[in-house]
Amino acid sequence: ASVDAEKGVAAAAAAAAAEQQEKVRLFLKEVGEEVGKEEREAGVWLMRGSTGGREGGREGGWPMPRQALEGWLATREKEAMASFERATGVFKERKGEGLYAQAEREVGEKLKARGNELRLANGRALELFLEGARKEALARYEEEMEEGGRKGEAKEVGKVEEAETVFLPPGVFLPKNVQLRHAQAETRMLTRFAETTKTFQGEKQLPLHVTTLKADADLARARLEKRNSARLRALCGEVKEELVLGVERGIGRLGEILDEETLEERLKEARLITIKGGREGGKEEVGVEEAFTQRVGRAVRATEEGKAVARALVEEVEALQAQVRKGLAVKLQSVLELSL
């Protein structure tokens, strides 16, 4: 009977201990889940509830600097583990083994996993923020580069001789002004980008975005230079066509001339173009090259586009004159053959 009683008491004690262990395990799990829930809510608040204020976010907002996030995660992890211990510390084992130690490890692992999720999310948000800031800075740069082309464009370079002042239509610049505008606009662009991203100056992604921004600005400048060159050439081309047409009309009025000396004098006269000259608004006759320079302005004439179109103008005028001389030679040959 004594043996049976001892067995019964031992079995009851084992059952009670097992039941107590299960209750402790469930309690530890419940507290751990509650702590994890609080940390998830804190993470959601960090991502959603603290944005706004400054452009693209604010100090302490989302995204946040890596160092600040690490500090926040360390503090939250410490507070969470302290909260778990306050609620469950009575079940802590002396040797650090058992249900409490296992539950504590699980809570710590979940906190670390949540921290990694926030690090990843912050990295993506930071990349999007930097990309947006870069695009905004580039857009402002392009706007500034497009704002020129007004009257007196050459004056932007600094002190310019009055004879070099050129009045260009909107959207057409002197090449040297494109370079000047690029240098100034790029400086303002980089300053603006640095101001927008000043909170993230220590982040490793930032230098790459600065390099990309400079490269994008260079590409935009190259596109503008190419388009501007075409527009300058077209502007000069219009003036050239007008002058060539004027020479053609002058040649067309020469009539039947059978004397070479007289023809050369008339051809020389046909190359003269009447333009407004002097401050009094009077008129004077100049050669087609000078007329071209006066029409487009000396600053435009000095550009590669102006030089190329000026050469084309001279070549076309000389070709017209050569055609007339050839016609005279044919006429003289016909008269000579008829006489013979």
Side-chain angles (χ1 to χ4, degrees):
S2 175
V3 170
D4 290 341
E6 288 179 357
K7 290 180 178 180
V9 170
E19 182 180 0
Q20 176 66 13
Q21 285 285 86
E22 180 64 15
K23 288 181 179 180
V24 171
R25 187 185 69 79
L26 292 175
F27 175 71
L28 292 174
K29 180 179 180 181
E30 181 181 348
V31 174
E33 290 178 349
E34 184 64 27
V35 170
K37 180 181 178 181
E38 292 176 357
E39 292 309 303
R40 285 193 297 273
E41 291 176 350
V44 171
W45 175 88
L46 182 68
M47 290 188 292
R48 298 181 180 177
S50 61
T51 56
R54 67 177 171 83
E55 185 179 357
R58 63 174 171 80
E59 193 74 24
W62 189 266
M64 58 194 304
R66 182 183 57 82
Q67 187 174 359
L69 178 61
E70 291 300 326
W72 186 89
L73 289 174
T75 300
R76 291 298 307 181
E77 183 177 351
K78 183 178 180 180
E79 292 177 353
M81 296 307 297
S83 176
F84 178 78
E85 186 174 1
R86 282 195 301 271
T88 61
V90 67
F91 300 108
K92 189 174 185 179
E93 301 92 356
R94 291 183 179 180
K95 295 182 180 181
E97 300 178 359
L99 291 177
Y100 181 88
Q102 181 180 352
E104 188 179 41
R105 284 194 298 271
E106 290 177 355
V107 172
E109 290 173 358
K110 289 180 179 179
L111 291 175
K112 285 181 171 58
R114 180 55 178 165
N116 290 333
E117 291 176 2
L118 289 174
R119 289 184 183 95
L120 183 61
N122 187 65
R124 288 195 296 263
L126 177 58
E127 187 65 24
L128 289 175
F129 170 73
L130 293 176
E131 183 178 342
R134 191 185 76 233
K135 290 181 177 179
E136 174 63 22
L138 180 63
R140 294 285 296 277
Y141 163 84
E142 291 176 337
E143 288 176 3
E144 290 185 16
M145 291 293 288
E146 293 286 354
E147 284 176 357
R150 303 300 185 260
K151 290 185 176 181
E153 173 71 15
K155 293 181 180 178
E156 292 188 9
V157 181
K159 294 182 178 179
V160 181
E161 296 296 333
E162 184 177 353
E164 294 182 354
T165 302
V166 60
F167 299 94
L168 293 173
V172 184
F173 318 103
L174 291 175
K176 58 183 178 181
N177 285 4
V178 175
Q179 293 294 333
L180 176 66
R181 294 178 70 82
H182 168 70
Q184 296 174 342
E186 183 184 48
T187 299
R188 288 190 291 269
M189 174 190 71
L190 294 175
T191 300
R192 189 179 297 115
F193 180 76
E195 179 64 24
T196 303
T197 60
K198 63 181 180 181
T199 306
F200 306 102
Q201 289 302 308
E203 301 302 317
K204 62 181 181 180
Q205 302 99 314
L206 192 60
L208 178 60
H209 282 274
V210 173
T211 301
T212 303
L213 181 58
K214 291 180 179 179
D216 290 343
D218 287 337
L219 289 175
R221 174 186 54 79
R223 289 193 300 270
L224 178 59
E225 286 179 336
K226 183 177 180 180
R227 186 181 63 192
N228 186 66
S229 177
R231 290 178 176 177
L232 266 179
R233 189 178 294 273
L235 178 67
C236 294
E238 292 176 3
V239 176
K240 184 203 74 170
E241 292 302 323
E242 292 178 4
L243 295 174
V244 171
L245 184 60
V247 174
E248 285 181 339
R249 284 196 296 263
I251 290 176
R253 292 191 293 267
L254 293 181
E256 294 293 331
I257 300 176
L258 298 177
D259 179 65
E260 291 185 1
E261 184 175 350
T262 303
L263 179 63
E264 289 301 324
E265 291 180 359
R266 295 292 181 85
L267 288 177
K268 184 176 180 181
E269 292 175 358
R271 288 177 66 113
L272 297 177
I273 304 296
T274 302
I275 63 171
K276 292 183 179 180
R279 295 180 178 276
E280 303 299 327
K283 295 182 179 180
E284 61 177 335
E285 289 187 339
V286 297
V288 288
E289 291 184 75
E290 180 60 23
F292 176 79
T293 301
Q294 293 290 336
R295 293 278 184 85
V296 301
R298 297 192 181 279
V300 173
R301 173 64 175 79
T303 64
E304 293 302 319
E305 295 79 7
K307 293 176 182 177
V309 175
R311 287 194 298 268
L313 170 63
V314 173
E315 290 172 0
E316 289 189 31
V317 171
E318 290 179 348
L320 287 173
Q321 292 179 328
Q323 186 177 357
V324 174
R325 293 188 184 100
K326 183 178 180 181
L328 176 59
V330 172
K331 291 177 183 179
L332 292 176
Q333 184 68 26
S334 299
V335 172
L336 179 60
E337 290 177 354
L338 182 62
S339 302
L340 291 175

